[in-house]
Amino acid sequence: MTARRGITRWLFGSLANPDQQNDSERHHMLPRPQPSTGAEAFARMLDGAAEVRSWAVPDLDDLPELVALTRAMGSVQAPAPRPEFAASLRTQLLESDPVVLREPERPIAEAAAEIIDLAASRKRKATRRAYTAAAVGSLVLGSAGIAAAAQSALPGSPLYGVKRGVENLELSFATNDTARGHDLLDQARTRLSEVQQLSKSSDASNTTLIQKTLQAFSTSAAEGTNLLFVSFQRNGNARDLAEIQRFATTSAGQLNSLSPSMIEQNRAQMLEASSLIANVEQQSKMLCPTCAALPPLNEQYQQLSATSNQTSGLNALLATPRMVLLPQASGPVTAPAETAAPTLPKSSQPAKPTTPPQPAPAPQPTNTNALGQTLGAVLTPVLKPVLGTVGGVLQATTGTVGGLLNTLVPPAK
Amino acid sequence: MDATSIARDTSTLSEARPLDDADQATASVDDEDLAARIISLVELARSGDKAAFGELYDHYQGAVFRFLYYRVSSSTLAEDLTAETFFRALRGMSSFRWQGRDFGAWLMTIARNLAADHFKAGRTRLEQTTEDTEALDSTTEGPEQEVLALLTSETLRDALAQLPPEQRECVIMRFLDGLSIAETAENMGRSVGAIKQLQLRGVRNLAKLVPVGSL
């Protein structure tokens, strides 16, 4: 062994010193039938190659030992946590604050439940059923009063999370994008009035809240107007644009009425909000110059429903989106503009835009109020009618009680 | 631990999953049924099912503990960090996204960060004094069984603790966590070549430290 190493060293002395830094660079120029570094040879042997010999690398003699050591490492008796520790941790985990539920857009739990080994989960189902009964009971009793009380809550107040949760819940009832768009604009309006109220107090700690609320305004506004623009493109319904324009006009007015010092303090957020509004206003006017003259949505709905039964389904969706629980018919909805024309002499069917409007990009909703979203997310799967199967509903409600509590009690750090 | 990643055919699940990470769902187990089951459990757990999380805990707690055991100085600390790992996982479950890696890899990331934070905080020093006197006699080649008999998880951990941090991490990932060279390279942010060098240096140094005279 040693003799061979000596000879190799002697022959290839300057070439084959594996400790040299430039070792690996040099190897690219060499033919590679053999490993050219010890590291390479070791890697090959770990992969199962028989003992590797290389003329280029003399220091391979210890490699079999090293490989044996790594194999031994792999089969060292695995250390395990104490069983009592593992068991108590499991209990703690399952009794801790519930998982913060993400709002499922489709009933994922349901589908996954089908795949999961049902036999093993039968026992779990029984306990879940008990949990569910308790959850639903306490929800019904407790949440209505709290939700009502939360409606006037301002950012920073304990019930504000509930308010946002209820908003998200309402949003989840919207059965199509148009209704979602309207709901989101409603939310944006609420955010803006919150900003106005917050800006009246001189509390310095409000600045962060104002900024967050302004951001939430921009997010909802961008998403809502975007949905309505898309809805207009799809349905050609001028009322969507009218809604956008009304929203833009009032929002612009409210933003302008904020005090200069407030604007100065929250420059970035103000800029974002007002440029968004200006952009939206411009786009909607470009698409439909006469739309702003349309009456507000609810009046129009009443007029329409008085004269037409055909479109009442759609109008009901649009006018009272949060009351509609029926699943929306899939496929494009026909525009009710023809029926609208007789009652609304001023509005003609808007010309289909030759170039599609560029909806304002909808930023991802920022997690401005995790608690608020939590409640919405928690309630949604329970109440969402599409969560059909018992398994899915039970599934989703398991964490509900805790979720509600979690909303009211700030999580312990 | 010869785990192969089974990229699951998720066509049955993809309709149900609202997130667009369905094609990334992976479970690193040989048994295909188990892999499907783990994926389902993850799906349930991230939609808020605590019982499902409990089962994931049962499946992974040993691995997480082992992972931490070799990286920190005591079993007690490893247990504490195991608990913290699972609590963080529970809290972050709803934001878990498949990234083409096993769910366990996500847990290990949490665990690794916790271990790193722990040492950053300086609450504990890694160095442990062990008797490393009789470790250097490596003249005869001994069979693997002899090594095994003498190599316990404690001696191994003590020896690992004396390696330079990068070598230690590399050796742990390669030979205890069972990661491939490529995976180790990715995890450590190094090149494949660098990992090959590192593992050889690490194992060479380790061989001098483990009290296995017969090697």
Side-chain angles (χ1 to χ4, degrees):
Chain A
M1 255 341 133
T2 348
R4 183 211 287 237
R5 191 188 293 178
I7 291 167
T8 322
R9 273 234 171 100
W10 178 74
L11 279 172
F12 299 101
S14 63
L15 260 182
N17 187 349
D19 295 322
Q20 275 180 3
Q21 278 297 320
N22 60 352
D23 207 30
S24 58
E25 284 144 40
R26 187 156 34 78
H27 292 133
H28 292 297
M29 294 185 257
L30 297 170
R32 310 196 57 191
Q34 292 174 315
S36 46
T37 62
E40 189 66 42
F42 184 53
R44 284 203 203 178
M45 284 176 70
L46 286 173
D47 286 342
E51 201 160 320
V52 175
R53 293 283 157 212
S54 170
W55 55 267
V57 193
D59 277 338
L60 302 178
D61 294 346
D62 63 338
L63 293 196
E65 293 166 21
L66 299 184
V67 172
L69 174 59
T70 65
R71 302 263 188 268
M73 281 173 74
S75 38
V76 164
Q77 167 121 51
R82 291 171 295 125
E84 62 268 28
F85 162 79
S88 84
L89 174 55
R90 190 183 208 282
T91 318
Q92 284 175 38
L93 282 167
L94 295 195
E95 285 173 0
S96 72
D97 286 347
V99 181
V100 176
L101 287 173
R102 180 175 43 76
E103 183 175 339
E105 286 141 60
R106 265 171 272 164
I108 49 164
E110 192 184 310
E114 287 169 15
I115 303 161
I116 201 164
D117 181 12
L118 285 171
S121 66
R122 198 167 293 152
K123 199 176 153 198
R124 253 189 293 142
K125 270 195 175 172
T127 44
R128 260 190 230 146
R129 224 163 263 150
Y131 274 126
T132 310
V136 170
S138 56
L139 252 188
V140 170
L141 291 175
S143 57
I146 296 165
Q151 281 319 295
S152 56
L154 280 182
S157 86
L159 281 180
Y160 186 66
V162 178
K163 181 182 183 180
R164 295 288 292 268
V166 170
E167 281 183 1
N168 284 342
L169 182 63
E170 288 175 349
L171 188 61
S172 71
F173 279 160
T175 48
N176 60 14
D177 281 354
T178 316
R180 275 178 67 83
H182 285 284
D183 270 8
L184 282 164
L185 291 195
D186 281 345
Q187 286 189 11
R189 289 190 183 97
T190 314
R191 293 295 86 78
L192 202 49
S193 69
E194 284 164 7
V195 169
Q196 283 183 312
Q197 283 171 279
L198 283 173
S199 67
K200 279 175 198 157
S201 105
S202 54
D203 193 346
S205 68
N206 271 357
T207 309
T208 327
L209 290 174
I210 289 179
Q211 291 180 352
K212 279 188 172 174
T213 314
L214 269 172
Q215 267 164 5
F217 163 79
S218 298
T219 308
S220 299
E223 207 181 332
T225 51
N226 189 28
L227 285 172
L228 290 182
F229 273 128
V230 172
S231 167
F232 169 72
Q233 264 182 289
R234 200 179 294 144
N235 306 332
N237 191 337
R239 289 173 309 146
D240 292 332
L241 279 187
E243 174 74 2
I244 292 175
Q245 289 185 5
R246 260 194 308 280
F247 170 76
T249 312
T250 49
S251 301
Q254 281 172 298
L255 284 170
N256 284 334
S257 70
L258 292 170
S259 75
S261 67
M262 223 240 31
I263 295 173
E264 198 50 47
Q265 271 171 1
N266 312 296
R267 186 167 255 295
Q269 290 77 15
M270 283 300 294
L271 199 65
E272 186 192 1
S274 47
S275 64
L276 172 78
I277 292 303
N279 187 20
V280 160
E281 194 169 26
Q282 198 184 1
Q283 272 188 43
S284 65
K285 284 196 170 140
M286 193 179 70
L287 289 170
C288 175
T290 56
C291 286
L294 290 175
L297 203 62
N298 286 344
E299 280 173 46
Q300 192 183 24
Y301 163 62
Q302 283 153 13
Q303 290 174 10
L304 283 170
S305 55
T307 55
S308 160
N309 291 329
Q310 291 170 324
T311 54
S312 59
L314 175 68
N315 284 315
L317 281 180
L318 293 179
T320 54
R322 72 202 54 170
M323 301 305 291
V324 177
L325 291 171
L326 293 171
Q328 153 206 21
S330 56
V333 188
T334 47
E338 284 89 353
T339 23
T343 46
L344 302 163
K346 274 192 172 175
S347 81
S348 56
Q349 164 123 25
K352 290 268 182 188
T354 46
T355 52
Q358 303 288 314
Q364 290 299 309
T366 49
N367 196 9
T368 48
N369 191 312
L371 289 182
Q373 293 184 349
T374 308
L375 182 65
V378 164
L379 291 176
T380 305
V382 189
L383 297 163
K384 215 171 192 178
V386 281
L387 264 181
T389 70
V390 176
V393 174
L394 291 176
Q395 216 24 271
T397 28
T398 312
T400 309
V401 176
L404 184 59
L405 295 176
N406 191 25
T407 314
L408 301 174
V409 184
K413 268 279 151 192
Chain B
M1 203 201 283
D2 196 15
T4 43
S5 285
I6 303 168
R8 300 282 310 130
D9 175 9
T10 50
S11 55
T12 47
L13 271 176
S14 57
E15 279 177 33
R17 228 180 254 132
L19 299 162
D20 53 1
D21 59 353
D23 55 332
Q24 301 284 310
T26 305
S28 294
V29 283
D30 290 328
D31 180 353
E32 214 165 299
D33 290 340
L34 183 58
R37 183 168 161 72
I38 289 174
I39 292 173
S40 316
L41 285 171
V42 171
E43 287 307 318
L44 285 170
R46 71 171 171 174
S47 69
D49 185 328
K50 299 199 73 175
F53 188 84
E55 295 199 16
L56 287 172
Y57 167 79
D58 293 340
H59 185 80
Y60 285 108
Q61 51 103 359
V64 169
F65 176 81
R66 234 175 352 266
F67 180 92
L68 287 162
Y69 178 89
Y70 287 115
R71 286 169 170 83
V72 298
S73 51
S74 78
S75 298
T76 323
L77 184 54
E79 285 183 350
D80 288 351
L81 294 181
T82 303
E84 184 57 27
T85 301
F86 278 100
F87 275 110
R88 286 202 187 182
L90 181 64
R91 269 179 259 135
M93 201 57 221
S94 61
S95 58
F96 172 78
R97 297 290 177 270
W98 293 108
Q99 292 173 328
R101 296 196 303 164
D102 182 39
F103 177 69
W106 185 65
L107 290 176
M108 300 313 163
T109 310
I110 300 177
R112 184 177 309 123
N113 290 338
L114 282 172
D117 288 352
H118 179 78
F119 290 115
K120 238 180 264 168
R123 272 176 289 171
T124 320
R125 301 301 313 268
L126 245 186
E127 287 104 67
Q128 285 204 334
T129 43
T130 44
E131 316 82 82
D132 52 351
T133 42
E134 74 257 80
L136 293 168
D137 177 49
S138 58
T139 43
T140 54
E141 292 190 16
E144 204 175 308
Q145 277 68 26
E146 279 182 53
V147 184
L148 251 182
L150 291 159
L151 195 59
T152 65
S153 53
E154 285 84 12
T155 54
L156 184 55
R157 181 180 64 187
D158 292 344
L160 284 167
Q162 296 178 61
L163 294 183
E166 277 210 312
Q167 291 180 17
R168 178 177 60 240
E169 188 62 22
C170 174
V171 168
I172 292 176
M173 282 189 186
R174 287 283 290 123
F175 307 115
L176 292 168
D177 300 341
L179 298 189
S180 71
I181 288 184
E183 287 166 335
T184 309
E186 199 198 325
N187 271 318
M188 295 187 66
R190 306 287 300 267
S191 71
V192 164
I195 294 300
K196 285 178 181 172
Q197 293 281 355
L198 213 48
Q199 72 176 6
L200 176 57
R201 273 189 229 127
V203 175
R204 267 200 176 126
N205 286 331
L206 192 69
K208 293 173 197 158
L209 291 164
V210 285
V212 184
S214 59
L215 251 180

